[in-house]
Amino acid sequence: MYDLVGVGIGPFNLSLAALCDGVPGLRALFLERGPAFSWHPGLLLEGTVLQVPFMADLVTMADPTSRWSFLNYLREHERLFPFFFSERFHIPRREYDHYCRWVAEHLPSCRFDAEVTAVEWDAAEGAFAVSHRSAAGRGEGRVLARQVVLGVGTVPSVPEPLRLLPTGAPADRRVNRVLHSADYRAHRAALAALDDVTVVGAGQSGAEVVLDLLRHQDGEGRGGPYVRWLARTPAFAPMEYSKIGLEHFTPDYVDYFRSLPEATRDRLVRAQWQLYKGVSEETLADIHDELYERTIGGGRPRAELRPGVEVIAARPDDGPDGAPGYVLTCRHAEQGADFEVRTSAVVAATGYATERPSFLEPLEKLIDWDGRGRYRVDGSYRVCLDPSVTGTLYVQNAEAHTHGVGAPDLTLGAWRAATILNAAAGRTVLPVPRRTAWTTFGVPEQRAARAGRAERVERVEQVEQVEQSEEAPR
């Protein structure tokens, strides 16, 4: 019987595993289907950096004394002095991935090659039964857990018009010419050899793919593909990175956001796109510099940037020479006009979406879904369950609709993990700060009332669950 079982080992559940390490009286296990830790391998391009400071590692914002901090990782690898002299605040993505691998490989609670196939409620045991299997032939297993934490991450999201394009048979030349940016690194050489590549999506990933493809052109813009960048957003805009603006990624804002009506929350997440879909100023500047270089000596960049454009249809269309390609029908939002472009390949840098994992099917009728089929999540990241379930189910990075745009952001990862740890342990293992922002979100005098109201609602829900559980037939 485990006190806590985590499903999935991405940065957020790995953060929880690191904070759980060494906690007296807490038995935890984390299961991951992959053979090792892997973080967005398709976008680990040379020169790319995290968009958050190195302090947003797995533990520091909750426990800076932890042995699993990034600074201790540097010390263990004898790189603390070089890091100090490099004066870095934002570290390379490849380094963050290596840091997380180091933590995952040294935590005894992390078990890889263990794909969870089912999570069900075992009333007789009063616990969740978590079934898992090995892809490497190590057989199947089953463990019991009083509490389960879902940390399965998100899946690449592709617009419907692009999803409808045929992928072809294995021998088809069209294969891998329509792909998500998550797979870009594996196909970058083949894409760079084409004559025309279209990137769809105005976020950081799209900008990095565009920049990488531009750099495959020679210094005068010849060679390499013609690069087209399309985006629905009204501009290729920088991410909000002002010191006050970043306070949207604080527990204070999470508390405020949770107090809002559902319709308001949904509208806000869409409206705040520049908080999480913008591009770093440095990347935009690098793209501009690449284009500027092409104009020296009277040249013209072999590229076009078109914001405010949505791809509404797509079809295969081979060129006169028989080379495979596609025609994209686009609509300009502000002008209301449609136009077509022909391209040899499409990279969809269109973000990620949460997906209901199939292993939850045994629990589907016991989970209280909202009207759009999403988890109802309380302030401690507990999923609302049927009162007959006396165990607790938590979720990480699937609660933007209830907790705001900070859900997928690494900044809040350690704080959220500490919140879950305290709830799971039934005591304060790691204290969390009471005030984290200068900004007062909402009506000032209602702040304390709002927090108190949220706490009262949670206490009432807990009491009701216990009472209903006691009244249920046994």
Side-chain angles (χ1 to χ4, degrees):
M1 177 73 73
Y2 285 91
D3 299 299
L4 188 70
V5 167
V7 182
I9 305 179
F12 296 133
N13 258 1
L14 184 58
S15 172
L16 180 58
L19 294 177
C20 285
D21 186 43
V23 175
L26 184 69
R27 191 172 183 224
L29 175 70
F30 293 81
L31 304 172
E32 165 61 40
R33 66 182 178 182
F37 181 89
S38 181
W39 183 72
H40 296 301
L43 287 170
L44 294 181
L45 305 175
E46 298 82 357
T48 57
V49 299
L50 285 187
Q51 289 182 285
V52 294
F54 72 88
M55 285 180 62
D57 62 10
L58 300 172
V59 295
T60 296
M61 297 299 284
D63 181 11
T65 67
S66 170
R67 63 173 293 200
W68 304 116
S69 70
F70 177 74
L71 288 178
N72 192 52
Y73 153 82
L74 292 172
R75 186 177 72 107
E76 290 286 320
H77 289 80
E78 298 185 351
R79 298 176 61 235
L80 198 54
F81 271 86
F83 178 77
F84 175 76
F85 293 125
S86 72
E87 297 185 348
R88 287 181 179 269
F89 201 48
H90 294 82
I91 62 175
R93 285 189 190 168
R94 292 175 58 246
E95 187 171 30
Y96 178 77
D97 177 71
H98 189 261
Y99 155 66
C100 289
R101 286 175 178 267
W102 171 74
V103 175
E105 290 168 1
H106 287 82
L107 279 175
S109 62
C110 291
R111 184 183 303 175
F112 292 88
D113 184 30
E115 180 183 7
V116 172
T117 56
V119 177
E120 49 197 323
W121 178 247
D122 188 328
E125 294 285 354
F128 295 100
V130 182
S131 302
H132 59 88
R133 65 186 174 198
S134 164
R138 298 190 182 92
E140 299 180 350
R142 183 175 183 269
V143 295
L144 296 174
R146 297 184 179 90
Q147 302 172 94
V148 170
V149 184
L150 303 178
V152 295
T154 52
V155 295
S157 176
V158 177
E160 185 175 354
L162 300 181
R163 289 201 303 268
L164 298 177
L165 289 173
T167 55
D172 194 328
R173 291 173 300 165
R174 202 182 303 277
V175 171
N176 295 330
R177 289 201 171 190
V178 178
L179 64 145
H180 193 272
S181 57
D183 300 314
Y184 174 72
R185 189 182 181 198
H187 304 290
R188 65 191 295 210
L191 291 169
L194 299 177
D195 63 328
D196 185 295
V197 177
T198 297
V199 180
V200 180
Q204 183 68 21
S205 298
E208 289 173 356
V209 172
V210 167
L211 179 60
D212 189 65
L213 290 171
L214 287 174
R215 286 172 170 168
H216 278 85
Q217 299 175 354
D218 63 23
E220 298 179 352
R222 295 191 294 269
Y226 182 91
V227 182
R228 182 181 298 102
W229 193 11
L230 307 177
R232 288 191 304 174
T233 55
F236 297 107
M239 179 172 286
E240 169 59 67
Y241 207 75
S242 66
K243 294 179 180 179
I244 297 296
L246 287 178
E247 291 192 343
H248 285 87
F249 300 96
T250 59
D252 286 45
Y253 185 74
V254 171
D255 174 55
Y256 163 74
F257 188 87
R258 285 185 56 240
S259 71
L260 299 173
E262 181 178 314
T264 304
R265 294 198 302 261
D266 289 342
R267 177 180 56 79
L268 266 178
V269 170
R270 292 191 299 270
Q272 293 172 335
W273 64 271
Q274 217 167 330
L275 287 170
Y276 61 99
K277 289 185 179 180
V279 184
S280 74
E281 290 186 1
E282 292 79 6
T283 306
L284 289 174
D286 288 343
I287 291 173
H288 186 277
D289 291 348
E290 289 291 331
L291 297 175
Y292 178 80
E293 286 282 338
R294 308 293 187 263
T295 66
I296 299 175
R300 286 185 60 82
R302 296 183 58 248
E304 63 178 285
L305 282 60
R306 292 188 184 272
V309 169
E310 180 181 6
V311 177
I312 60 174
R315 68 179 188 274
D317 183 77
D318 294 348
D321 59 352
Y326 308 92
V327 169
L328 308 180
T329 302
C330 306
R331 176 167 297 160
H332 194 279
E334 294 175 356
Q335 293 181 321
D338 295 352
F339 63 96
E340 291 185 341
V341 296
R342 188 189 181 281
T343 187
S344 300
V346 181
V347 180
T350 45
Y352 298 80
T354 57
E355 185 178 66
R356 189 181 301 185
S358 59
F359 62 75
L360 280 185
E361 287 182 7
L363 286 179
E364 278 195 352
K365 294 182 178 178
L366 297 174
I367 295 175
D368 183 14
W369 308 99
D370 72 6
R372 296 176 60 180
R374 303 172 297 191
Y375 304 106
R376 296 189 191 275
V377 188
D378 74 5
S380 296
Y381 297 91
R382 291 173 291 216
V383 175
C384 296
L385 301 173
D386 186 274
S388 63
V389 179
T390 56
T392 309
L393 182 68
Y394 300 88
V395 69
Q396 300 214 66
N397 193 17
E399 74 287 349
H401 59 291
T402 58
H403 287 63
V405 294
D409 195 273
L410 295 176
T411 304
L412 285 171
W415 171 82
R416 176 174 52 198
T419 301
I420 293 173
L421 172 58
N422 291 338
R427 65 184 190 277
T428 301
V429 178
L430 293 170
V432 293
R434 291 181 175 271
R435 184 71 189 263
T436 55
W438 299 119
T439 306
T440 299
F441 299 101
V443 181
E445 59 268 23
Q446 292 185 0
R447 176 185 172 85
R450 184 173 65 244
R453 182 171 63 252
E455 292 176 2
R456 287 195 299 274
V457 168
E458 289 179 21
R459 285 199 298 270
V460 169
E461 289 175 348
Q462 293 169 12
V463 171
E464 289 177 346
Q465 288 180 9
V466 172
E467 291 175 346
Q468 293 177 32
S469 176
E470 292 173 347
E471 295 170 359
R474 298 182 181 274

